[in-house]
Amino acid sequence: AQSVTQLDSQVPVFEEAPVELRCNYSSSVSVYLFWYVQYPNQGLQLLLKYLSGSTLVKGINGFEAEFNKSQTSFHLRKPSVHISDTAEYFCASWGTASKLTFGTGTRLQVTL
Amino acid sequence: DTGVSQDPRHKITKRGQNVTFRCDPISEHNRLYWYRQTLGQGPEFLTYFQNEAQLEKSRLLSDRFSAERPKGSFSTLEIQRTEQGDSAMYLCASSPRDRSFYGYTFGSGTRLTVV
């Protein structure tokens, strides 16, 4: 069965600094990969997705992610973060299970 | 498109009581999903419907849990004889059947606290 692993439970970063949130996937078949963001006491909002084609995917709010098949990774990046990016970020995969499987999340804490 | 609506947003109940949550998906979406999210964890799949048919249930969905989608529109999730371990955020999501792999649209969730 496919799964995703988020390597960092928390990532502290200063405002305007770059950030990378790491995600590795595990699957022997093709997967579709997603990043979702969750603000406090809210549902999940889709940031971006990789289905096929270009390995660099651009999403909302200035985020992008790169699909790397050889390293089975799908890391999320932003060149300059804002205080408002403070939230929980979830990597997810869709594959043979025909439903989204989520990682445990990474808490991004942006400070001044 | 009014998005996915969940009601109530918050529910506090005493242990042993029954609770019911409602989810209204995006109107043209025929797939509806329920997930549970405990503190510090990612969402975990509970069950999903295609129209009114419940196609899959997780082993997390014990016999105290039941979900329905009687007319293929809104869905309800009922928990009987609640336990403290049921305290969590219950998330509903919907998608079109033929585009489910594009990702879901989630509601804002119902936070259940069992005291």
Side-chain angles (χ1 to χ4, degrees):
Chain A
Q2 74 270 18
S3 66
V4 291
T5 302
Q6 292 185 245
L7 301 168
D8 306 295
S9 59
Q10 293 187 68
V11 174
V13 63
F14 290 112
E15 192 175 38
E16 298 183 5
V19 70
E20 178 180 85
L21 306 184
R22 297 182 293 168
C23 173
N24 285 92
Y25 69 91
S26 171
S27 176
S28 59
V29 298
S30 297
V31 294
Y32 303 129
L33 296 165
F34 305 81
W35 277 98
Y36 280 83
V37 60
Q38 186 177 36
Y39 299 102
N41 295 314
Q42 296 293 319
L44 282 76
Q45 180 183 7
L46 181 64
L47 275 178
L48 50 78
K49 57 180 176 281
Y50 172 78
L51 304 180
S52 65
S54 173
T55 57
L56 183 63
V57 180
K58 294 190 182 297
I60 62 171
N61 301 341
F63 284 93
E64 63 182 33
E66 186 161 16
F67 172 71
N68 188 318
K69 189 174 182 179
S70 63
Q71 297 187 5
T72 60
S73 67
F74 189 57
H75 301 333
L76 181 70
R77 302 185 183 104
K78 187 170 183 178
S80 176
V81 296
H82 301 286
I83 291 285
S84 59
D85 292 323
T86 295
E88 192 86 19
Y89 292 79
F90 292 95
C91 182
S93 69
W94 168 278
T96 55
S98 297
K99 57 182 177 285
L100 283 176
T101 301
F102 288 88
T104 52
T106 297
R107 170 76 177 166
L108 176 63
Q109 182 68 52
V110 182
T111 55
L112 294 172
Chain B
D1 180 358
T2 56
V4 178
S5 300
Q6 291 189 247
D7 183 68
R9 290 294 309 276
H10 304 273
K11 178 72 176 178
I12 300 175
T13 190
K14 291 183 179 179
R15 190 173 50 190
Q17 296 295 304
N18 299 343
V19 294
T20 300
F21 311 140
R22 177 179 170 125
C23 172
D24 287 88
I26 292 173
S27 58
E28 62 267 28
H29 286 183
N30 48 19
R31 281 202 173 171
L32 185 148
Y33 302 82
W34 285 101
Y35 279 76
R36 182 173 71 183
Q37 185 181 20
T38 53
L39 204 60
Q41 297 297 316
E44 297 174 294
F45 171 79
L46 291 179
T47 187
Y48 89 92
F49 293 84
Q50 183 166 300
N51 301 314
E52 65 275 10
Q54 189 173 18
L55 296 188
E56 188 175 342
K57 292 193 294 186
S58 163
R59 54 186 164 80
L60 294 175
L61 215 64
S62 75
D63 56 4
R64 297 185 296 106
F65 288 70
S66 63
E68 294 184 343
R69 194 182 183 196
K71 296 183 179 179
S73 57
F74 72 92
S75 175
T76 58
L77 177 68
E78 181 183 16
I79 309 174
Q80 296 182 328
R81 306 180 302 281
T82 52
E83 302 172 355
Q84 287 190 322
D86 296 332
S87 294
M89 174 81 89
Y90 290 84
L91 294 162
C92 177
S94 69
S95 71
R97 180 182 71 86
D98 57 350
R99 291 169 68 90
S100 295
F101 56 88
Y102 274 54
Y104 311 157
T105 301
F106 280 87
S108 296
T110 293
R111 181 167 295 284
L112 173 66
T113 303
V114 181
V115 298

Short mmCIF file of all heavy atoms in Angstrom, two decimals, chain B residues 74-114:
data_model
loop_
_atom_site.label_atom_id
_atom_site.label_comp_id
_atom_site.label_asym_id
_atom_site.label_seq_id
_atom_site.Cartn_x
_atom_site.Cartn_y
_atom_site.Cartn_z
N PHE B 74 -26.65 14.94 0.94
CA PHE B 74 -25.95 15.13 2.20
C PHE B 74 -25.67 13.78 2.86
O PHE B 74 -26.27 12.75 2.51
CB PHE B 74 -26.77 16.03 3.13
CG PHE B 74 -27.99 15.37 3.70
CD1 PHE B 74 -27.94 14.71 4.92
CD2 PHE B 74 -29.20 15.42 3.03
CE1 PHE B 74 -29.07 14.09 5.45
CE2 PHE B 74 -30.33 14.82 3.54
CZ PHE B 74 -30.26 14.14 4.75
N SER B 75 -24.77 13.80 3.82
CA SER B 75 -24.43 12.58 4.55
C SER B 75 -24.47 12.86 6.05
O SER B 75 -24.28 14.01 6.48
CB SER B 75 -23.04 12.10 4.16
OG SER B 75 -22.63 10.99 4.93
N THR B 76 -24.72 11.84 6.83
CA THR B 76 -24.64 11.94 8.28
C THR B 76 -23.67 10.89 8.81
O THR B 76 -23.57 9.79 8.25
CB THR B 76 -26.01 11.76 8.95
OG1 THR B 76 -26.55 10.49 8.58
CG2 THR B 76 -26.96 12.87 8.56
N LEU B 77 -22.98 11.25 9.86
CA LEU B 77 -22.10 10.33 10.57
C LEU B 77 -22.58 10.30 12.02
O LEU B 77 -22.63 11.34 12.68
CB LEU B 77 -20.65 10.80 10.51
CG LEU B 77 -19.62 9.97 11.27
CD1 LEU B 77 -19.46 8.58 10.62
CD2 LEU B 77 -18.26 10.67 11.32
N GLU B 78 -22.97 9.13 12.49
CA GLU B 78 -23.46 9.00 13.85
C GLU B 78 -22.48 8.18 14.68
O GLU B 78 -21.96 7.16 14.20
CB GLU B 78 -24.84 8.33 13.89
CG GLU B 78 -25.40 8.18 15.31
CD GLU B 78 -26.73 7.45 15.38
OE1 GLU B 78 -27.11 6.79 14.40
OE2 GLU B 78 -27.38 7.54 16.44
N ILE B 79 -22.23 8.62 15.88
CA ILE B 79 -21.43 7.86 16.83
C ILE B 79 -22.32 7.55 18.02
O ILE B 79 -22.87 8.46 18.66
CB ILE B 79 -20.18 8.64 17.31
CG1 ILE B 79 -19.39 9.18 16.12
CG2 ILE B 79 -19.30 7.73 18.16
CD1 ILE B 79 -18.22 10.07 16.52
N GLN B 80 -22.47 6.28 18.31
CA GLN B 80 -23.27 5.87 19.46
C GLN B 80 -22.36 5.60 20.66
O GLN B 80 -21.21 5.18 20.49
CB GLN B 80 -24.06 4.61 19.11
CG GLN B 80 -25.08 4.83 17.99
CD GLN B 80 -25.88 3.58 17.69
OE1 GLN B 80 -25.39 2.47 17.81
NE2 GLN B 80 -27.14 3.76 17.32
N ARG B 81 -22.90 5.84 21.83
CA ARG B 81 -22.19 5.55 23.09
C ARG B 81 -20.76 6.11 23.02
O ARG B 81 -19.78 5.38 23.12
CB ARG B 81 -22.17 4.05 23.36
CG ARG B 81 -23.55 3.41 23.35
CD ARG B 81 -23.49 1.92 23.63
NE ARG B 81 -22.66 1.18 22.69
CZ ARG B 81 -23.01 0.82 21.46
NH1 ARG B 81 -24.21 1.16 21.00
NH2 ARG B 81 -22.19 0.14 20.69
N THR B 82 -20.69 7.41 22.85
CA THR B 82 -19.38 8.03 22.66
C THR B 82 -18.40 7.72 23.79
O THR B 82 -18.79 7.57 24.96
CB THR B 82 -19.50 9.55 22.52
OG1 THR B 82 -20.26 10.07 23.64
CG2 THR B 82 -20.18 9.93 21.23
N GLU B 83 -17.14 7.65 23.41
CA GLU B 83 -16.04 7.42 24.35
C GLU B 83 -15.06 8.58 24.24
O GLU B 83 -15.03 9.29 23.22
CB GLU B 83 -15.33 6.10 24.01
CG GLU B 83 -16.25 4.90 24.02
CD GLU B 83 -15.56 3.64 23.50
OE1 GLU B 83 -14.39 3.74 23.04
OE2 GLU B 83 -16.19 2.56 23.54
N GLN B 84 -14.22 8.75 25.26
CA GLN B 84 -13.28 9.87 25.22
C GLN B 84 -12.34 9.75 24.03
O GLN B 84 -11.91 10.76 23.46
CB GLN B 84 -12.51 9.95 26.54
CG GLN B 84 -13.36 10.47 27.67
CD GLN B 84 -12.54 10.79 28.91
OE1 GLN B 84 -11.60 10.07 29.24
NE2 GLN B 84 -12.91 11.84 29.62
N GLY B 85 -12.04 8.56 23.62
CA GLY B 85 -11.18 8.35 22.46
C GLY B 85 -11.79 8.78 21.15
O GLY B 85 -11.10 8.84 20.13
N ASP B 86 -13.07 9.09 21.16
CA ASP B 86 -13.72 9.58 19.94
C ASP B 86 -13.49 11.07 19.73
O ASP B 86 -13.81 11.61 18.67
CB ASP B 86 -15.24 9.33 20.01
CG ASP B 86 -15.59 7.86 20.07
OD1 ASP B 86 -14.82 7.03 19.54
OD2 ASP B 86 -16.65 7.53 20.66
N SER B 87 -12.93 11.73 20.73
CA SER B 87 -12.64 13.16 20.61
C SER B 87 -11.68 13.38 19.46
O SER B 87 -10.58 12.81 19.43
CB SER B 87 -12.03 13.70 21.90
OG SER B 87 -12.96 13.64 22.95
N ALA B 88 -12.09 14.19 18.49
CA ALA B 88 -11.30 14.39 17.27
C ALA B 88 -12.01 15.43 16.41
O ALA B 88 -13.13 15.86 16.71
CB ALA B 88 -11.17 13.09 16.49
N MET B 89 -11.34 15.78 15.32
CA MET B 89 -11.98 16.58 14.28
C MET B 89 -12.48 15.60 13.21
O MET B 89 -11.71 14.75 12.75
CB MET B 89 -10.97 17.56 13.66
CG MET B 89 -11.50 18.32 12.47
SD MET B 89 -12.52 19.72 12.94
CE MET B 89 -11.22 20.98 13.05
N TYR B 90 -13.73 15.72 12.84
CA TYR B 90 -14.31 14.87 11.81
C TYR B 90 -14.47 15.71 10.55
O TYR B 90 -15.18 16.71 10.53
CB TYR B 90 -15.63 14.26 12.28
CG TYR B 90 -15.39 13.24 13.37
CD1 TYR B 90 -15.24 13.63 14.69
CD2 TYR B 90 -15.25 11.89 13.07
CE1 TYR B 90 -14.98 12.71 15.70
CE2 TYR B 90 -14.98 10.95 14.05
CZ TYR B 90 -14.84 11.37 15.36
OH TYR B 90 -14.56 10.46 16.35
N LEU B 91 -13.78 15.28 9.52
CA LEU B 91 -13.72 16.04 8.28
C LEU B 91 -14.50 15.34 7.18
O LEU B 91 -14.42 14.12 7.03
CB LEU B 91 -12.26 16.19 7.82
CG LEU B 91 -11.35 17.03 8.70
CD1 LEU B 91 -9.89 16.74 8.39
CD2 LEU B 91 -11.66 18.50 8.55
N CYS B 92 -15.22 16.12 6.44
CA CYS B 92 -15.96 15.62 5.28
C CYS B 92 -15.33 16.24 4.04
O CYS B 92 -14.87 17.39 4.06
CB CYS B 92 -17.42 16.00 5.40
SG CYS B 92 -18.44 15.51 3.99
N ALA B 93 -15.32 15.49 2.96
CA ALA B 93 -14.80 15.99 1.70
C ALA B 93 -15.63 15.42 0.56
O ALA B 93 -16.30 14.40 0.72
CB ALA B 93 -13.34 15.59 1.52
N SER B 94 -15.57 16.10 -0.58
CA SER B 94 -16.31 15.58 -1.74
C SER B 94 -15.48 15.77 -2.99
O SER B 94 -14.55 16.59 -3.03
CB SER B 94 -17.67 16.25 -1.87
OG SER B 94 -17.56 17.62 -2.24
N SER B 95 -15.83 14.99 -4.02
CA SER B 95 -15.15 15.10 -5.31
C SER B 95 -16.05 14.52 -6.39
O SER B 95 -16.93 13.70 -6.11
CB SER B 95 -13.82 14.35 -5.27
OG SER B 95 -14.04 12.96 -5.25
N PRO B 96 -15.82 14.92 -7.64
CA PRO B 96 -16.51 14.24 -8.73
C PRO B 96 -15.93 12.84 -8.89
O PRO B 96 -14.73 12.64 -8.69
CB PRO B 96 -16.20 15.11 -9.95
CG PRO B 96 -15.60 16.36 -9.42
CD PRO B 96 -14.99 16.03 -8.11
N ARG B 97 -16.72 11.88 -9.25
CA ARG B 97 -16.23 10.50 -9.35
C ARG B 97 -15.08 10.36 -10.32
O ARG B 97 -14.08 9.71 -10.02
CB ARG B 97 -17.36 9.57 -9.77
CG ARG B 97 -16.93 8.11 -9.89
CD ARG B 97 -18.07 7.24 -10.36
NE ARG B 97 -18.40 7.48 -11.75
CZ ARG B 97 -17.81 6.88 -12.77
NH1 ARG B 97 -16.85 6.01 -12.56
NH2 ARG B 97 -18.19 7.14 -14.01
N ASP B 98 -15.19 11.00 -11.47
CA ASP B 98 -14.18 10.79 -12.49
C ASP B 98 -12.99 11.71 -12.32
O ASP B 98 -12.11 11.71 -13.17
CB ASP B 98 -14.80 10.94 -13.88
CG ASP B 98 -15.45 12.31 -14.05
OD1 ASP B 98 -15.58 13.04 -13.06
OD2 ASP B 98 -15.83 12.63 -15.19
N ARG B 99 -12.97 12.50 -11.28
CA ARG B 99 -11.83 13.38 -11.04
C ARG B 99 -11.38 13.30 -9.59
O ARG B 99 -10.80 14.24 -9.06
CB ARG B 99 -12.19 14.82 -11.41
CG ARG B 99 -12.38 15.04 -12.90
CD ARG B 99 -13.00 16.40 -13.16
NE ARG B 99 -12.10 17.50 -12.83
CZ ARG B 99 -11.24 18.05 -13.67
NH1 ARG B 99 -11.14 17.59 -14.90
NH2 ARG B 99 -10.49 19.06 -13.30
N SER B 100 -11.65 12.19 -8.94
CA SER B 100 -11.29 12.06 -7.53
C SER B 100 -9.79 12.19 -7.32
O SER B 100 -9.32 12.68 -6.30
CB SER B 100 -11.76 10.72 -6.98
OG SER B 100 -13.17 10.65 -6.98
N PHE B 101 -9.01 11.76 -8.33
CA PHE B 101 -7.57 11.81 -8.18
C PHE B 101 -7.03 13.22 -8.34
O PHE B 101 -5.82 13.44 -8.19
CB PHE B 101 -6.90 10.86 -9.18
CG PHE B 101 -7.29 11.13 -10.62
CD1 PHE B 101 -6.58 12.03 -11.38
CD2 PHE B 101 -8.37 10.48 -11.19
CE1 PHE B 101 -6.94 12.28 -12.70
CE2 PHE B 101 -8.73 10.73 -12.50
CZ PHE B 101 -8.02 11.63 -13.26
N TYR B 102 -7.89 14.19 -8.62
CA TYR B 102 -7.47 15.58 -8.66
C TYR B 102 -7.43 16.19 -7.26
O TYR B 102 -7.01 17.32 -7.09
CB TYR B 102 -8.41 16.41 -9.53
CG TYR B 102 -8.08 16.39 -11.01
CD1 TYR B 102 -7.94 15.19 -11.68
CD2 TYR B 102 -7.92 17.56 -11.72
CE1 TYR B 102 -7.64 15.16 -13.03
CE2 TYR B 102 -7.62 17.55 -13.08
CZ TYR B 102 -7.48 16.35 -13.73
OH TYR B 102 -7.19 16.34 -15.05
N GLY B 103 -7.90 15.40 -6.27
CA GLY B 103 -7.95 15.93 -4.92
C GLY B 103 -9.36 16.24 -4.50
O GLY B 103 -10.26 16.33 -5.33
N TYR B 104 -9.55 16.33 -3.21
CA TYR B 104 -10.88 16.58 -2.68
C TYR B 104 -11.04 18.04 -2.27
O TYR B 104 -10.06 18.74 -2.04
CB TYR B 104 -11.13 15.76 -1.40
CG TYR B 104 -10.79 14.31 -1.43
CD1 TYR B 104 -10.54 13.65 -0.23
CD2 TYR B 104 -10.76 13.55 -2.59
CE1 TYR B 104 -10.25 12.31 -0.19
CE2 TYR B 104 -10.46 12.20 -2.56
CZ TYR B 104 -10.20 11.59 -1.35
OH TYR B 104 -9.91 10.25 -1.30
N THR B 105 -12.31 18.43 -2.08
CA THR B 105 -12.63 19.68 -1.43
C THR B 105 -13.13 19.34 -0.03
O THR B 105 -14.09 18.58 0.12
CB THR B 105 -13.72 20.45 -2.19
OG1 THR B 105 -13.27 20.71 -3.51
CG2 THR B 105 -14.02 21.77 -1.50
N PHE B 106 -12.45 19.87 0.98
CA PHE B 106 -12.80 19.57 2.37
C PHE B 106 -13.71 20.62 2.95
O PHE B 106 -13.64 21.80 2.59
CB PHE B 106 -11.54 19.48 3.23
CG PHE B 106 -10.81 18.19 3.12
CD1 PHE B 106 -9.86 18.00 2.13
CD2 PHE B 106 -11.07 17.14 4.00
CE1 PHE B 106 -9.18 16.78 2.02
CE2 PHE B 106 -10.40 15.94 3.90
CZ PHE B 106 -9.45 15.76 2.91
N GLY B 107 -14.53 20.19 3.89
CA GLY B 107 -15.27 21.11 4.73
C GLY B 107 -14.40 21.59 5.88
O GLY B 107 -13.25 21.19 6.01
N SER B 108 -14.98 22.44 6.72
CA SER B 108 -14.22 23.01 7.85
C SER B 108 -14.15 22.06 9.04
O SER B 108 -13.44 22.35 10.00
CB SER B 108 -14.83 24.34 8.28
OG SER B 108 -14.72 25.27 7.24
N GLY B 109 -14.90 20.98 8.97
CA GLY B 109 -14.80 19.98 10.03
C GLY B 109 -15.74 20.20 11.19
O GLY B 109 -16.26 21.30 11.40
N THR B 110 -15.99 19.12 11.92
CA THR B 110 -16.73 19.17 13.19
C THR B 110 -15.78 18.69 14.27
O THR B 110 -15.28 17.56 14.21
CB THR B 110 -17.97 18.26 13.15
OG1 THR B 110 -18.92 18.76 12.21
CG2 THR B 110 -18.62 18.19 14.54
N ARG B 111 -15.55 19.55 15.25
CA ARG B 111 -14.68 19.15 16.36
C ARG B 111 -15.52 18.58 17.48
O ARG B 111 -16.37 19.26 18.04
CB ARG B 111 -13.85 20.33 16.87
CG ARG B 111 -12.92 19.90 18.01
CD ARG B 111 -11.87 20.94 18.34
NE ARG B 111 -10.93 21.18 17.25
CZ ARG B 111 -9.93 20.37 16.93
NH1 ARG B 111 -9.75 19.24 17.60
NH2 ARG B 111 -9.11 20.68 15.95
N LEU B 112 -15.28 17.33 17.80
CA LEU B 112 -16.02 16.63 18.86
C LEU B 112 -15.15 16.53 20.10
O LEU B 112 -14.00 16.07 20.02
CB LEU B 112 -16.43 15.23 18.39
CG LEU B 112 -17.05 14.33 19.46
CD1 LEU B 112 -18.40 14.88 19.90
CD2 LEU B 112 -17.19 12.91 18.96
N THR B 113 -15.70 16.93 21.21
CA THR B 113 -15.05 16.76 22.51
C THR B 113 -15.97 15.92 23.39
O THR B 113 -17.12 16.30 23.62
CB THR B 113 -14.77 18.10 23.19
OG1 THR B 113 -13.97 18.91 22.33
CG2 THR B 113 -14.05 17.90 24.52
N VAL B 114 -15.47 14.80 23.84
CA VAL B 114 -16.23 13.91 24.73
C VAL B 114 -15.69 14.07 26.14
O VAL B 114 -14.49 13.86 26.38
CB VAL B 114 -16.13 12.45 24.28
CG1 VAL B 114 -16.96 11.55 25.19
CG2 VAL B 114 -16.57 12.30 22.83
#
